[in-house]
């Protein structure tokens, strides 16, 4: 897989984060490692996944991370695309508490650091900056 070319109007942080994500997606165990890291950070979450088909879950996570990365660059479409994910995780369905998202982000960044051979503090900050609006959107549905 090659890196996604930047879209017009995207800032540097988004371009850096997207390129990092493209590199991470080359690792076959990236999503598996994310869940390992998340369950270590939040052991209370693991039972929620007791009956999960992780092959399907990894595809859903891949899509959701892509939506979070795209959210700042597509304000008119972003909420519509991320709305389904937010509704599924929100107060009317899975009831994921807003405070859990910080641990989710930290687990994601730990996994990115483990899998992106070009990771640096600047790459980590680009991720945080880029996904912050989408995470805030998700938290607003908690």
């Amino acid at each position: 897989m090659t890196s996604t070319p930047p879209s017009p109007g995207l800032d540097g942080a988004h371009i850096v984060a997207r390129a990092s994500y493209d590199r991470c997606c080359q690792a076959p165990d990236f999503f598996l490692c994310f869940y390992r890291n998340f369950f270590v950070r939040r052991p209370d979450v693991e039972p929620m996944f007791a009956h999960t088909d992780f092959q399907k879950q990894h595809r859903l996570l891949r899509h959701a991370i892509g939506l979070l990365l795209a959210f700042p660059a597509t304000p008119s479409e972003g909420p519509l695309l991320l709305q389904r994910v937010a509704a599924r995780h929100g107060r009317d369905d899975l009831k994921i508490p807003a405070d859990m998202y910080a641990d989710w982000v930290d687990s994601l960044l730990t996994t990115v650091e483990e899998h992106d051979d070009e990771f640096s503090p600047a790459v980590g900050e680009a991720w945080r900056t880029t996904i912050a609006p989408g995470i805030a959107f998700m938290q607003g549905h908690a």
Side-chain angles (χ1 to χ4, degrees), residues 119-135:
F119 187 86
S120 68
V123 170
E125 186 57 33
W127 269 92
R128 287 187 187 279
T129 299
T130 302
I131 66 173
I135 294 295

PDB file of all heavy atoms in Angstrom, residues 119-135:
ATOM      1  N   PHE A 119       8.144   7.047  13.423  1.00  0.00           N
ATOM      2  CA  PHE A 119       7.497   7.729  14.539  1.00  0.00           C
ATOM      3  C   PHE A 119       8.495   8.632  15.260  1.00  0.00           C
ATOM      4  O   PHE A 119       9.661   8.304  15.435  1.00  0.00           O
ATOM      5  CB  PHE A 119       6.926   6.716  15.539  1.00  0.00           C
ATOM      6  CG  PHE A 119       6.104   7.381  16.618  1.00  0.00           C
ATOM      7  CD1 PHE A 119       4.765   7.641  16.411  1.00  0.00           C
ATOM      8  CD2 PHE A 119       6.683   7.774  17.819  1.00  0.00           C
ATOM      9  CE1 PHE A 119       3.999   8.266  17.386  1.00  0.00           C
ATOM     10  CE2 PHE A 119       5.930   8.391  18.805  1.00  0.00           C
ATOM     11  CZ  PHE A 119       4.592   8.640  18.578  1.00  0.00           C
ATOM     12  N   SER A 120       7.992   9.782  15.687  1.00  0.00           N
ATOM     13  CA  SER A 120       8.744  10.753  16.484  1.00  0.00           C
ATOM     14  C   SER A 120       7.722  11.496  17.336  1.00  0.00           C
ATOM     15  O   SER A 120       6.511  11.374  17.102  1.00  0.00           O
ATOM     16  CB  SER A 120       9.475  11.738  15.568  1.00  0.00           C
ATOM     17  OG  SER A 120       8.532  12.561  14.900  1.00  0.00           O
ATOM     18  N   PRO A 121       8.189  12.284  18.299  1.00  0.00           N
ATOM     19  CA  PRO A 121       7.223  13.094  19.044  1.00  0.00           C
ATOM     20  C   PRO A 121       6.381  13.990  18.137  1.00  0.00           C
ATOM     21  O   PRO A 121       5.190  14.196  18.387  1.00  0.00           O
ATOM     22  CB  PRO A 121       8.111  13.909  19.991  1.00  0.00           C
ATOM     23  CG  PRO A 121       9.310  13.035  20.219  1.00  0.00           C
ATOM     24  CD  PRO A 121       9.544  12.371  18.874  1.00  0.00           C
ATOM     25  N   ALA A 122       6.967  14.480  17.059  1.00  0.00           N
ATOM     26  CA  ALA A 122       6.217  15.326  16.126  1.00  0.00           C
ATOM     27  C   ALA A 122       5.119  14.525  15.412  1.00  0.00           C
ATOM     28  O   ALA A 122       4.018  15.043  15.189  1.00  0.00           O
ATOM     29  CB  ALA A 122       7.161  15.955  15.100  1.00  0.00           C
ATOM     30  N   VAL A 123       5.398  13.275  15.080  1.00  0.00           N
ATOM     31  CA  VAL A 123       4.380  12.427  14.454  1.00  0.00           C
ATOM     32  C   VAL A 123       3.258  12.170  15.453  1.00  0.00           C
ATOM     33  O   VAL A 123       2.070  12.258  15.110  1.00  0.00           O
ATOM     34  CB  VAL A 123       4.996  11.103  13.935  1.00  0.00           C
ATOM     35  CG1 VAL A 123       3.912  10.121  13.502  1.00  0.00           C
ATOM     36  CG2 VAL A 123       5.955  11.380  12.784  1.00  0.00           C
ATOM     37  N   GLY A 124       3.618  11.873  16.689  1.00  0.00           N
ATOM     38  CA  GLY A 124       2.604  11.667  17.721  1.00  0.00           C
ATOM     39  C   GLY A 124       1.735  12.894  17.914  1.00  0.00           C
ATOM     40  O   GLY A 124       0.505  12.788  18.032  1.00  0.00           O
ATOM     41  N   GLU A 125       2.342  14.059  17.923  1.00  0.00           N
ATOM     42  CA  GLU A 125       1.577  15.295  18.080  1.00  0.00           C
ATOM     43  C   GLU A 125       0.686  15.545  16.861  1.00  0.00           C
ATOM     44  O   GLU A 125      -0.431  16.036  16.995  1.00  0.00           O
ATOM     45  CB  GLU A 125       2.514  16.481  18.308  1.00  0.00           C
ATOM     46  CG  GLU A 125       1.800  17.776  18.623  1.00  0.00           C
ATOM     47  CD  GLU A 125       0.873  17.678  19.840  1.00  0.00           C
ATOM     48  OE1 GLU A 125       1.159  16.931  20.801  1.00  0.00           O
ATOM     49  OE2 GLU A 125      -0.169  18.375  19.831  1.00  0.00           O
ATOM     50  N   ALA A 126       1.162  15.185  15.672  1.00  0.00           N
ATOM     51  CA  ALA A 126       0.341  15.329  14.464  1.00  0.00           C
ATOM     52  C   ALA A 126      -0.901  14.452  14.574  1.00  0.00           C
ATOM     53  O   ALA A 126      -2.010  14.882  14.219  1.00  0.00           O
ATOM     54  CB  ALA A 126       1.161  14.966  13.226  1.00  0.00           C
ATOM     55  N   TRP A 127      -0.725  13.233  15.066  1.00  0.00           N
ATOM     56  CA  TRP A 127      -1.880  12.360  15.292  1.00  0.00           C
ATOM     57  C   TRP A 127      -2.859  13.006  16.258  1.00  0.00           C
ATOM     58  O   TRP A 127      -4.057  13.090  15.985  1.00  0.00           O
ATOM     59  CB  TRP A 127      -1.416  11.021  15.876  1.00  0.00           C
ATOM     60  CG  TRP A 127      -1.118   9.959  14.886  1.00  0.00           C
ATOM     61  CD1 TRP A 127       0.098   9.684  14.310  1.00  0.00           C
ATOM     62  CD2 TRP A 127      -2.020   8.997  14.354  1.00  0.00           C
ATOM     63  NE1 TRP A 127      -0.013   8.605  13.473  1.00  0.00           N
ATOM     64  CE2 TRP A 127      -1.305   8.163  13.489  1.00  0.00           C
ATOM     65  CE3 TRP A 127      -3.378   8.741  14.549  1.00  0.00           C
ATOM     66  CZ2 TRP A 127      -1.890   7.105  12.798  1.00  0.00           C
ATOM     67  CZ3 TRP A 127      -3.969   7.686  13.875  1.00  0.00           C
ATOM     68  CH2 TRP A 127      -3.222   6.888  13.001  1.00  0.00           C
ATOM     69  N   ARG A 128      -2.369  13.428  17.398  1.00  0.00           N
ATOM     70  CA  ARG A 128      -3.254  14.001  18.433  1.00  0.00           C
ATOM     71  C   ARG A 128      -4.006  15.221  17.897  1.00  0.00           C
ATOM     72  O   ARG A 128      -5.209  15.355  18.112  1.00  0.00           O
ATOM     73  CB  ARG A 128      -2.463  14.363  19.682  1.00  0.00           C
ATOM     74  CG  ARG A 128      -2.035  13.148  20.471  1.00  0.00           C
ATOM     75  CD  ARG A 128      -1.405  13.522  21.809  1.00  0.00           C
ATOM     76  NE  ARG A 128      -0.856  12.358  22.451  1.00  0.00           N
ATOM     77  CZ  ARG A 128      -1.567  11.473  23.151  1.00  0.00           C
ATOM     78  NH1 ARG A 128      -2.862  11.641  23.307  1.00  0.00           N
ATOM     79  NH2 ARG A 128      -0.982  10.420  23.705  1.00  0.00           N
ATOM     80  N   THR A 129      -3.293  16.082  17.199  1.00  0.00           N
ATOM     81  CA  THR A 129      -3.911  17.290  16.639  1.00  0.00           C
ATOM     82  C   THR A 129      -4.981  16.932  15.611  1.00  0.00           C
ATOM     83  O   THR A 129      -6.065  17.518  15.596  1.00  0.00           O
ATOM     84  CB  THR A 129      -2.825  18.172  15.983  1.00  0.00           C
ATOM     85  OG1 THR A 129      -1.887  18.561  16.993  1.00  0.00           O
ATOM     86  CG2 THR A 129      -3.411  19.400  15.320  1.00  0.00           C
ATOM     87  N   THR A 130      -4.671  15.961  14.763  1.00  0.00           N
ATOM     88  CA  THR A 130      -5.571  15.613  13.675  1.00  0.00           C
ATOM     89  C   THR A 130      -6.832  14.914  14.156  1.00  0.00           C
ATOM     90  O   THR A 130      -7.931  15.208  13.677  1.00  0.00           O
ATOM     91  CB  THR A 130      -4.833  14.736  12.634  1.00  0.00           C
ATOM     92  OG1 THR A 130      -3.700  15.466  12.155  1.00  0.00           O
ATOM     93  CG2 THR A 130      -5.737  14.379  11.482  1.00  0.00           C
ATOM     94  N   ILE A 131      -6.700  13.997  15.116  1.00  0.00           N
ATOM     95  CA  ILE A 131      -7.888  13.245  15.538  1.00  0.00           C
ATOM     96  C   ILE A 131      -8.666  13.936  16.657  1.00  0.00           C
ATOM     97  O   ILE A 131      -9.798  13.530  16.945  1.00  0.00           O
ATOM     98  CB  ILE A 131      -7.560  11.790  15.920  1.00  0.00           C
ATOM     99  CG1 ILE A 131      -6.689  11.701  17.162  1.00  0.00           C
ATOM    100  CG2 ILE A 131      -6.947  11.050  14.737  1.00  0.00           C
ATOM    101  CD1 ILE A 131      -6.481  10.272  17.671  1.00  0.00           C
ATOM    102  N   ALA A 132      -8.109  14.984  17.249  1.00  0.00           N
ATOM    103  CA  ALA A 132      -8.796  15.665  18.365  1.00  0.00           C
ATOM    104  C   ALA A 132     -10.215  16.121  18.009  1.00  0.00           C
ATOM    105  O   ALA A 132     -11.137  15.902  18.803  1.00  0.00           O
ATOM    106  CB  ALA A 132      -7.961  16.835  18.879  1.00  0.00           C
ATOM    107  N   PRO A 133     -10.461  16.745  16.861  1.00  0.00           N
ATOM    108  CA  PRO A 133     -11.839  17.163  16.560  1.00  0.00           C
ATOM    109  C   PRO A 133     -12.804  15.980  16.459  1.00  0.00           C
ATOM    110  O   PRO A 133     -13.941  16.051  16.939  1.00  0.00           O
ATOM    111  CB  PRO A 133     -11.719  17.882  15.215  1.00  0.00           C
ATOM    112  CG  PRO A 133     -10.295  18.321  15.134  1.00  0.00           C
ATOM    113  CD  PRO A 133      -9.519  17.237  15.844  1.00  0.00           C
ATOM    114  N   GLY A 134     -12.374  14.885  15.851  1.00  0.00           N
ATOM    115  CA  GLY A 134     -13.231  13.706  15.746  1.00  0.00           C
ATOM    116  C   GLY A 134     -13.471  13.060  17.087  1.00  0.00           C
ATOM    117  O   GLY A 134     -14.593  12.604  17.384  1.00  0.00           O
ATOM    118  N   ILE A 135     -12.464  13.028  17.942  1.00  0.00           N
ATOM    119  CA  ILE A 135     -12.620  12.473  19.285  1.00  0.00           C
ATOM    120  C   ILE A 135     -13.601  13.336  20.077  1.00  0.00           C
ATOM    121  O   ILE A 135     -14.492  12.811  20.759  1.00  0.00           O
ATOM    122  CB  ILE A 135     -11.260  12.344  19.996  1.00  0.00           C
ATOM    123  CG1 ILE A 135     -10.373  11.302  19.297  1.00  0.00           C
ATOM    124  CG2 ILE A 135     -11.440  12.020  21.480  1.00  0.00           C
ATOM    125  CD1 ILE A 135     -10.892   9.881  19.340  1.00  0.00           C
TER     126      ILE A 135
END
